[in-house]
Amino acid sequence: MEILIIIVAGIMIGASVYLMLSKSLIRIIIGTGILSHGILLMLLTMGGLKRGGIPVLDDSVQQYSDPLPQAMLLTVIVITFALTAYMLVIAIRVYRELGTDNVEELKGVPREDD
Amino acid sequence: MTILHLAVLAPFLFAILVPFLFKYFRKVHTGWFVLFVPLILFIYFLSYISVTSDGQAVMQRMEWVPSLGINFDLYVDGLSLLFALLITGIGTLVILYSIFYLAGKEERLNHFYVYIMLFMGAMLGVVLSDNIIVLYVFWEITSISSSLLISYWYAKKASVYGAQKSMYITVFGGLSMLGGFSLLYVMAETFSIREMIGNADLILNHDLFLAAMILVLLGAFTKSAQFPFHIWLPDAMEAPTPVSAYLHSATMVKAGIYLVARLTPVFAGGAEWFWIITAAGIFTMAWGAISAVRQKDLKAILAFSTVSQLGMIMSLLGAGSAAFYYMDGDNALYTTAILAAVFHLINHATFKGSLFMVAGIIDHETGTRDIRKLGGLMTIMPITATISVIGLAAMAGLPPFNGFLSKELFFTGITNVAQYDMWNGDTIGMLLPVIAWIASIFTFAYSAIIFFRTFRGKFKPDMLPVKEVHEAPAGLLISPIVLVAAVLMISFFPNILAYSIIEPAMMSILPGILGEGSNFYVDIYHWHGINLELMMTLGAVIIGTIIYVTMNKWSKLGIYQNEQDIMTTVYDNGYDALIKGSQVLTRIQMTGMLRDYIVYMVIFIVLIMFYTMFRFEGFQISMENASEIGIFMYLILAALVITIMLLPRVNNRMTAIILAGFVGFLVAFIFTVFRAPDLALTQLMVETVSVILFMAVFYHLPNLTKDNIAPLTKAINIVVAGSAGLMVALVSMSAFTYGQTTPFDAISEYFIENSVELAGGYNMVNVVLVDFRGLDTMLELLVLGIAALGAISMIKLKVKEDDDV
């Protein structure tokens, strides 16, 4: 199953890179979101997906699934959320100030003297 | 710290005082205070003659960075003393001259004398240092202070151009030299020149010998204006004339000569040293002399003449270094060249210094240095004319002046090469005297041009910018008179310096090849009998006269109208091409488009990863140890893939948000399947909030439009994105396969066993988050807080027009 998940994660990362190559600021932000989802899946899978109990202590359970990657992913989710929210606000500000969300139109104008 | 160290540092220390003297003693010309520094130093260095003339040397230590072997060690022997006396002696005269040359009221004398003092100190440091790193430091200070002096009148464009050019070229050479010095250190394991000479055999047989030699020579050739690096010297003539007289005739341009002479015992065992230096020198000599004839500006003629004479000294040092190759110091066949080099070095400093000062006087009194406007000054400026005649006759090599003596020795030294038996010395060596002779013809020609165009001919007062031309004030004339007196002194009593200066200098250029206790014996005399050298001089004078007389005929030729050196054109075009080329390169690569940068990054990462994995056979995919797949997982994953593939095609904003949210919820579902309740919970909440956020934002943004992407760009995008996904997947699979086969267990057993015992919690994930690895959580909360603050300020704060951001 790990191989399959990795392949799906690879597809997600490929699609996110494709989205990030587009002109629209919103597509780029959606792309980063998808990228982080792909990475989440990848990280969870790398530790191995041996079936075990949920990582809450219970005397009847012999084997637990690995708690460490889960703790790390929790941190990742929160940080990604913070970044996504911030980028969205920036997108609003950019659109309000400059009137476009097309990144190619956001290019600086070359100065006359160089 | 000894008195010797103090002597080298004195100009630097005095430079600190100069601005104060300038500010608080406005009535006295600052130069008068400065004058005493080189004068006292000159007298101080004279006291060393008694030491060096016995063949002894003085070594004074001062620790600087002893752990790296870099020490401020000073070493006085015949060669360094000769240079130290030149620097301080001519320095005194130049400062005296500058007092009358630069007006006290209008000029920024504080700048001028600070730069001159910096230069003088640095130059003393170069010639007295025994440690090559210290020598390099002083060497670069001479480059910097020289550029400062050239651009002294910085409002003039030509000054800044000349200063930049000399800076680029000499610093290029300086850095190459540092490379050469580092290689020398690798070979000899010491920074001390003294110890290197002791280890010369070690260096000679090392693989790096040639590389070190060429790098060091680059430094010497750029500083001493050898072809093709000579082009900075004519442009350095924009400096005030005292500077040209001091730096660009007597001292700085001889730093390269000094370096070659100083390192001769280290390198001269190889025949390459002999050939490179002799060939470069003789070619520079001819090139400089021929170019000098074309110039219309007095100082430009003198600059090319300096280039030519430096080439002559350089070729002599090269020819003389053969003494080391044969280890034969007794034979005049090899050592005459060294004698000629040292002798001409002294002569050149005297007559060229006086000629520059004369050029300055003419400029000062008539307002121009253009030989087309000058003429007939002989009767108006008789003293100046007399000084010039002597200086020019010495430069042209006419008997009985000192230039004649050194030129005869030069011819002897250079014709001797034909008798050397290394590397076709007998055949190629025949060429050297021929080139040298051609150079002498042109030397005679330009000396004649300077004299006859300036002092003879018709006086043209209407072409001069000044109203009345008269003889220079006495103060301006003192220094050139002293120098010309020195010329005459050496001319009539050529052996006056033989025992005290020339023999010790030869001893330090060629140490250790004479038998124990024996000395060079120098006896220079005027009449050698009728021999080849005399015939060569005679021939040069006759043909030079013919060239001068027929000048009006050939000076109309196109080549001779063009004053600019070919190498200067090469330099200018190269400089422009370098700037244009780098601009083009930057434009190609820095497009300002986010897409391009992402493409660069992804391609680079993919290629690097692929190469590394391929190179170390990292791709290994094994299905073993993989867990089983439930049927519902197929369904979830299929849904995920379909959603993702749809996402880039969607052009409706609502659909896009919903699809993106759907991906997030599917991921949350996968977390549930993989027994991660906390993750699933957080993911669900975060995804919900994200979708709401997206909605809120989209309300303010325009609808998604269809990306109009050219088919080619789209294909590139697909390839880039596909390769990124493929590469990540492949690397992850390989990592997973390796991870399953390593003998190391996960560290999670520790958390599972101890979460209740140590932390008293049953939910292991939460215990890890707040107990075992609480620091991560704290900083993650900080990230959240910063993002919140950032979002607020993004929405609330506005920059007003007049705000200073």
Side-chain angles (χ1 to χ4, degrees):
Chain A
M1 174 147 44
E2 285 85 352
I3 302 290
L4 195 65
I5 302 258
I6 285 171
I7 290 170
V8 171
I11 293 172
M12 289 171 84
I13 287 168
S16 69
V17 170
Y18 184 82
L19 280 168
M20 281 195 280
L21 292 175
S22 65
K23 288 177 189 168
S24 155
L25 208 51
I26 297 306
R27 282 204 178 87
I28 292 172
I29 297 174
I30 292 177
T32 56
I34 302 295
L35 183 72
S36 73
H37 285 144
I39 288 165
L40 284 178
L41 280 186
M42 196 85 86
L43 279 176
L44 192 67
T45 320
M46 295 305 278
L49 290 173
K50 293 275 161 34
R51 291 298 186 81
I54 55 168
V56 175
L57 273 181
D58 186 342
D59 288 340
S60 64
V61 177
Q62 292 298 312
Q63 199 190 4
Y64 297 100
S65 54
D66 196 338
L68 192 60
Q70 295 192 14
M72 287 185 167
L73 288 194
L74 213 55
T75 313
V76 172
I77 292 173
V78 174
I79 290 177
T80 313
F81 171 68
L83 276 177
T84 311
Y86 188 56
M87 282 203 294
L88 281 170
V89 175
I90 290 179
I92 296 181
R93 183 67 186 266
V94 166
Y95 182 66
R96 206 183 279 166
E97 299 279 331
L98 304 171
T100 179
D101 73 332
N102 184 337
V103 282
E104 291 194 1
E105 286 171 23
L106 296 177
K107 218 178 98 167
V109 183
R111 274 179 298 153
E112 289 299 315
D113 54 359
D114 61 26
Chain B
M1 176 81 79
T2 58
I3 298 178
L4 188 60
H5 286 99
L6 206 62
V8 171
L9 295 177
F12 292 109
L13 298 174
F14 194 78
I16 301 172
L17 284 180
V18 167
F20 296 104
L21 293 171
F22 177 72
K23 195 173 173 192
Y24 295 112
F25 299 93
R26 289 308 298 256
K27 286 190 181 148
V28 188
H29 195 288
T30 317
W32 289 115
F33 302 111
V34 179
L35 184 64
F36 291 100
V37 178
L39 190 63
I40 291 167
L41 288 177
F42 182 70
I43 295 164
Y44 170 71
F45 281 117
L46 278 179
S47 71
Y48 276 90
I49 286 184
S50 57
V51 180
T52 57
S53 54
D54 296 336
Q56 302 299 310
V58 176
M59 177 91 167
Q60 300 285 5
R61 295 217 82 159
M62 187 171 127
E63 291 196 336
W64 185 14
V65 195
S67 55
L68 296 178
I70 299 172
N71 290 309
F72 189 16
D73 293 342
L74 298 179
Y75 184 81
V76 187
D77 63 354
L79 185 65
S80 1
L81 188 68
L82 163 61
F83 274 88
L85 287 174
L86 275 182
I87 292 161
T88 49
I90 297 188
T92 313
L93 296 174
V94 160
I95 287 171
L96 182 67
Y97 178 79
S98 72
I99 292 172
F100 297 96
Y101 189 83
L102 296 171
K105 297 272 157 54
E106 296 132 39
E107 300 287 353
R108 291 166 290 111
L109 295 175
N110 48 345
H111 293 207
F112 184 79
Y113 287 109
V114 166
Y115 301 159
I116 282 267
M117 285 288 103
L118 277 185
F119 173 78
M120 189 182 289
M123 209 54 217
L124 282 176
V126 167
V127 299
L128 292 172
S129 291
D130 178 53
N131 192 295
I132 46 174
I133 296 299
V134 177
L135 191 152
Y136 170 74
V137 171
F138 283 121
W139 185 277
E140 291 298 31
I141 299 176
T142 64
S143 294
I144 293 166
S145 54
S146 151
S147 287
L148 287 170
L149 283 166
I150 295 169
S151 59
Y152 173 66
W153 288 310
Y154 54 75
K156 275 173 30 187
K157 218 174 171 184
S159 300
V160 175
Y161 171 78
Q164 265 187 346
K165 196 171 175 179
S166 77
M167 186 81 159
Y168 291 148
I169 293 176
T170 53
V171 168
F172 159 75
L175 285 175
S176 310
M177 195 180 80
L178 182 63
F181 284 173
S182 312
L183 293 183
L184 274 177
Y185 179 74
V186 169
M187 291 188 276
E189 291 177 351
T190 173
F191 283 126
S192 161
I193 298 175
R194 213 74 7 236
E195 288 165 28
M196 269 178 212
I197 293 173
N199 287 345
D201 289 342
L202 212 66
I203 296 171
L204 189 60
N205 299 318
H206 202 283
D207 292 341
L208 295 171
F209 172 77
L210 199 62
M213 190 183 97
I214 289 171
L215 286 172
V216 169
L217 279 182
L218 270 178
F221 283 2
T222 49
K223 201 73 158 183
S224 280
Q226 300 296 297
F227 186 87
F229 307 113
H230 65 283
I231 48 173
W232 65 267
L233 191 59
D235 283 307
M237 291 303 128
E238 292 300 328
T241 303
V243 173
S244 312
Y246 189 35
L247 275 66
H248 307 126
S249 73
T251 52
M252 189 178 87
V253 289
K254 294 204 170 95
I257 304 270
Y258 168 79
L259 193 73
V260 168
R262 180 51 90 204
L263 293 180
T264 295
V266 179
F267 287 112
E272 297 95 338
W273 175 263
F274 164 80
W275 279 111
I276 292 176
I277 293 178
T278 313
I282 207 88
F283 187 73
T284 308
M285 182 186 179
W287 185 279
I290 294 170
S291 304
V293 182
R294 295 209 301 258
Q295 305 302 314
K296 312 289 183 291
D297 179 67
L298 273 183
K299 273 173 88 176
I301 302 177
L302 290 175
F304 276 106
S305 144
T306 304
V307 169
S308 168
Q309 309 269 325
L310 290 171
M312 172 178 165
I313 299 172
M314 200 60 103
S315 67
L316 283 169
L317 283 178
S321 70
F324 259 99
Y325 186 80
Y326 297 105
M327 285 310 275
D328 185 358
D330 294 328
N331 197 337
L333 188 63
Y334 310 119
T335 53
T336 309
I338 296 289
L339 163 65
V342 175
F343 190 47
H344 193 70
L345 183 83
I346 302 168
N347 293 342
H348 178 249
T350 52
F351 67 69
K352 192 52 70 64
S354 69
L355 285 176
F356 266 110
M357 289 174 182
V358 164
I361 289 173
I362 293 168
D363 188 15
H364 210 260
E365 300 306 320
T366 63
T368 183
R369 300 193 307 253
D370 192 325
I371 51 169
R372 286 166 297 194
K373 295 179 184 164
L374 295 168
L377 294 177
M378 187 123 167
T379 45
I380 304 166
M381 304 169 79
I383 304 173
T384 316
T386 316
I387 297 168
S388 308
V389 169
I390 298 169
L392 291 168
M395 184 159 78
L398 295 181
F401 298 106
N402 57 3
F404 170 72
L405 303 169
S406 43
K407 191 149 275 188
E408 295 286 278
L409 285 169
F410 164 66
F411 284 142
T412 315
I414 220 77
T415 43
N416 282 346
V417 174
Q419 297 174 44
Y420 297 176
D421 58 358
M422 58 173 165
W423 272 18
N424 301 325
D426 44 350
T427 49
I428 302 175
M430 285 301 285
L431 271 176
L432 298 178
V434 177
I435 303 174
W437 185 65
I438 295 171
S440 315
I441 294 171
F442 281 94
T443 307
F444 182 84
Y446 67 69
S447 303
I449 290 174
I450 294 181
F451 177 69
F452 287 103
R453 292 296 170 90
T454 314
F455 296 105
R456 303 294 297 167
K458 224 178 98 210
F459 182 53
K460 298 166 238 177
D462 46 324
M463 289 183 81
L464 300 177
V466 290
K467 288 212 175 79
E468 202 181 337
V469 180
H470 46 76
E471 183 57 275
L476 268 180
L477 289 168
I478 298 172
S479 300
I481 287 175
V482 172
L483 283 173
V484 157
V487 170
L488 293 174
M489 196 77 161
I490 300 171
S491 304
F492 296 115
F493 308 100
N495 289 317
I496 190 169
L497 296 176
Y499 176 69
S500 53
I501 301 282
I502 298 176
E503 286 172 16
M506 286 178 75
M507 278 297 282
S508 22
I509 300 174
L510 302 171
I513 59 168
L514 284 182
E516 194 67 37
S518 57
N519 258 321
F520 288 105
Y521 178 65
V522 173
D523 189 15
I524 303 161
Y525 46 97
H526 286 90
W527 183 248
H528 299 257
I530 297 169
N531 54 9
L532 181 65
E533 291 87 346
L534 191 67
M535 289 298 131
M536 281 168 88
T537 305
L538 210 60
V541 170
I542 293 167
I543 300 180
T545 313
I546 295 170
I547 286 185
Y548 174 72
V549 171
T550 58
M551 192 171 166
N552 289 333
K553 298 206 175 112
W554 53 259
S555 66
K556 299 213 168 54
L557 293 173
I559 297 179
Y560 276 88
Q561 289 298 317
N562 189 4
E563 288 177 51
Q564 181 142 318
D565 200 288
I566 301 164
M567 294 315 295
T568 296
T569 318
V570 171
Y571 166 87
D572 286 341
N573 290 340
Y575 185 81
D576 290 345
L578 202 66
I579 288 174
K580 286 221 179 77
S582 58
Q583 275 174 347
V584 167
L585 214 67
T586 312
R587 291 263 162 78
I588 291 174
Q589 163 219 353
M590 307 292 285
T591 55
M593 304 275 206
L594 180 66
R595 177 187 171 272
D596 293 338
Y597 301 144
I598 293 181
V599 168
Y600 297 152
M601 280 194 284
V602 171
I603 288 179
F604 186 73
I605 292 169
V606 167
L607 288 181
I608 278 276
M609 266 164 104
F610 182 79
Y611 174 75
T612 315
M613 295 290 281
F614 188 76
R615 168 90 172 64
F616 297 102
E617 293 170 1
F619 290 118
Q620 275 187 16
I621 291 151
S622 142
M623 303 291 272
E624 281 175 51
N625 294 318
S627 43
E628 289 172 22
I629 310 169
I631 301 197
F632 59 96
M633 275 308 284
Y634 280 115
L635 293 175
I636 296 172
L637 291 178
L640 195 54
V641 170
I642 291 167
T643 322
I644 298 245
M645 297 309 273
L646 277 177
L647 203 50
R649 295 158 185 275
V650 173
N651 288 321
N652 182 298
R653 56 178 167 178
M654 199 53 88
T655 322
I657 310 166
I658 290 169
L659 286 182
F662 190 57
V663 170
F665 290 118
L666 281 176
V667 170
F669 194 72
I670 294 174
F671 288 156
T672 334
V673 174
F674 291 154
R675 304 286 196 274
D678 298 291
L679 272 185
L681 199 65
T682 318
Q683 176 67 17
L684 276 174
M685 278 176 53
V686 161
E687 206 50 47
T688 315
V689 178
S690 293
V691 169
I692 293 169
L693 258 176
F694 268 99
M695 293 279 197
V697 169
F698 278 24
Y699 177 76
H700 296 281
L701 288 179
N703 201 353
L704 285 175
T705 47
K706 199 159 178 269
D707 265 3
N708 287 321
I709 302 175
L712 179 67
T713 318
K714 195 168 184 178
I716 293 174
N717 284 358
I718 289 171
V719 169
V720 167
S723 62
L726 187 68
M727 202 63 222
V728 171
L730 281 177
V731 171
S732 306
M733 283 182 209
S734 311
F736 173 71
T737 311
Y738 277 118
Q740 295 299 312
T741 54
T742 48
F744 305 109
D745 288 329
I747 55 167
S748 304
E749 284 306 312
Y750 175 82
F751 297 125
I752 293 168
E753 278 163 23
N754 292 309
S755 73
V756 173
E757 238 170 83
L758 291 180
Y762 287 87
N763 185 331
M764 289 169 238
V765 175
N766 291 1
V767 166
V768 170
L769 277 176
V770 299
D771 257 306
F772 291 119
R773 300 186 57 88
L775 203 62
D776 291 358
T777 313
M778 191 178 84
L779 295 178
E780 158 206 335
L781 290 177
L782 186 67
V783 169
L784 211 58
I786 291 172
L789 284 176
I792 291 171
S793 48
M794 259 302 152
I795 293 167
K796 293 268 179 196
L797 296 182
K798 288 254 157 55
V799 180
K800 293 192 194 76
E801 287 282 312
D802 51 348
D803 268 3
D804 191 15
V805 189

